[in-house]
Amino acid sequence: MTYETLTQQAIPSSSVDEQTLAQAELYSHLETQVEAVAPTQDPLTSRDRRIIGEIIEVQPESVRTIWIEGGITVWVQLVGGGRLPFDRNWFATRVAEVKATLPETPRERNERLSDELEKACTVFGLYHGEIDWLSFSTKLYQDGRLVGFVGCNQEEWYARPRQYGVNRVAPSAEQVIASLGVRTAVAA
């Protein structure tokens, strides 16, 4: 009786490398397809990225995302790959320090002012025309009627009932709109 002995042959390392590359390419393709079908909302603002970049000393564009694991560790995922772990309390302290010293960009200022204006308009039942982002000013309307002009310079809100005239100033959008004599909207 003859016996046949079988031995396992080693897989050449070049085919393992090719398999790894093919797998990485497949994952990259799948990630691209998923993003095209259901794009994810980016939870980080440009200011968040600037703060994180300042803390870990990288360019803000290189920060992909951030999350907290187990309530203890803050993980920062970088765009080019790689993750950096930080103690949550240390990271929170550094965020507060950097926020206090990081100047607001003009775009961030406009976004903040726009949010404040939207909230104030909702309180009074108003809507506004197109915003001049350079001077941050616009016209306010109520039921299709021009109520006045409103804007903000150097962190001080101003309003006036006509295009030309004396500005009325206040520390908030809501207060300056009230100075135009507009009453708050009443729910029906």
Side-chain angles (χ1 to χ4, degrees), residues 20-51:
T20 303
L21 288 173
Q23 193 70 35
E25 187 177 328
L26 174 64
Y27 286 144
S28 175
H29 177 70
L30 288 174
E31 191 175 287
T32 304
Q33 294 300 311
V34 167
E35 188 65 27
V37 172
T40 55
Q41 286 286 345
D42 190 354
L44 296 177
T45 64
S46 62
R47 183 167 179 82
D48 294 336
R49 281 192 171 76
R50 286 178 50 214
I51 292 168

Side-chain angles (χ1 to χ4, degrees), residues 123-174:
V123 168
F124 291 97
L126 302 173
Y127 63 94
H128 58 79
E130 190 172 323
I131 294 174
D132 177 348
W133 295 105
L134 192 57
S135 65
F136 199 86
S137 60
T138 188
K139 297 176 184 178
L140 296 179
Y141 298 93
Q142 186 173 46
D143 301 323
R145 181 181 62 85
L146 177 66
V147 173
F149 298 83
V150 68
C152 188
N153 339 320
Q154 312 288 317
E155 301 305 316
E156 184 174 67
W157 285 91
Y158 65 88
R160 60 185 178 275
R162 292 170 298 290
Q163 185 165 0
Y164 301 105
V166 178
N167 286 342
R168 300 167 184 171
V169 296
S172 73
E174 192 170 330

Side-chain angles (χ1 to χ4, degrees), residues 47-166:
R47 183 167 179 82
D48 294 336
R49 281 192 171 76
R50 286 178 50 214
I51 292 168
I52 295 166
E54 181 80 18
I55 292 169
I56 64 175
E57 299 176 1
V58 298
Q59 291 297 319
E61 303 81 35
S62 68
V63 176
R64 175 174 276 170
T65 191
I66 185 172
W67 71 93
I68 298 176
E69 184 178 331
I72 299 170
T73 305
V74 173
W75 285 93
V76 177
Q77 173 77 43
L78 301 174
V79 171
R83 296 178 183 157
L84 301 173
F86 299 94
D87 175 71
R88 185 193 69 175
N89 294 332
W90 176 85
F91 200 82
T93 302
R94 287 292 294 137
V95 166
E97 291 169 357
V98 172
K99 267 186 175 180
T101 61
L102 195 64
E104 187 176 50
T105 65
R107 181 178 179 170
E108 291 166 345
R109 175 185 180 272
N110 281 346
E111 288 172 356
R112 179 179 51 78
L113 293 175
S114 179
D115 289 344
E116 185 178 345
L117 180 61
E118 291 297 329
K119 288 175 187 169
C121 283
T122 301
V123 168
F124 291 97
L126 302 173
Y127 63 94
H128 58 79
E130 190 172 323
I131 294 174
D132 177 348
W133 295 105
L134 192 57
S135 65
F136 199 86
S137 60
T138 188
K139 297 176 184 178
L140 296 179
Y141 298 93
Q142 186 173 46
D143 301 323
R145 181 181 62 85
L146 177 66
V147 173
F149 298 83
V150 68
C152 188
N153 339 320
Q154 312 288 317
E155 301 305 316
E156 184 174 67
W157 285 91
Y158 65 88
R160 60 185 178 275
R162 292 170 298 290
Q163 185 165 0
Y164 301 105
V166 178

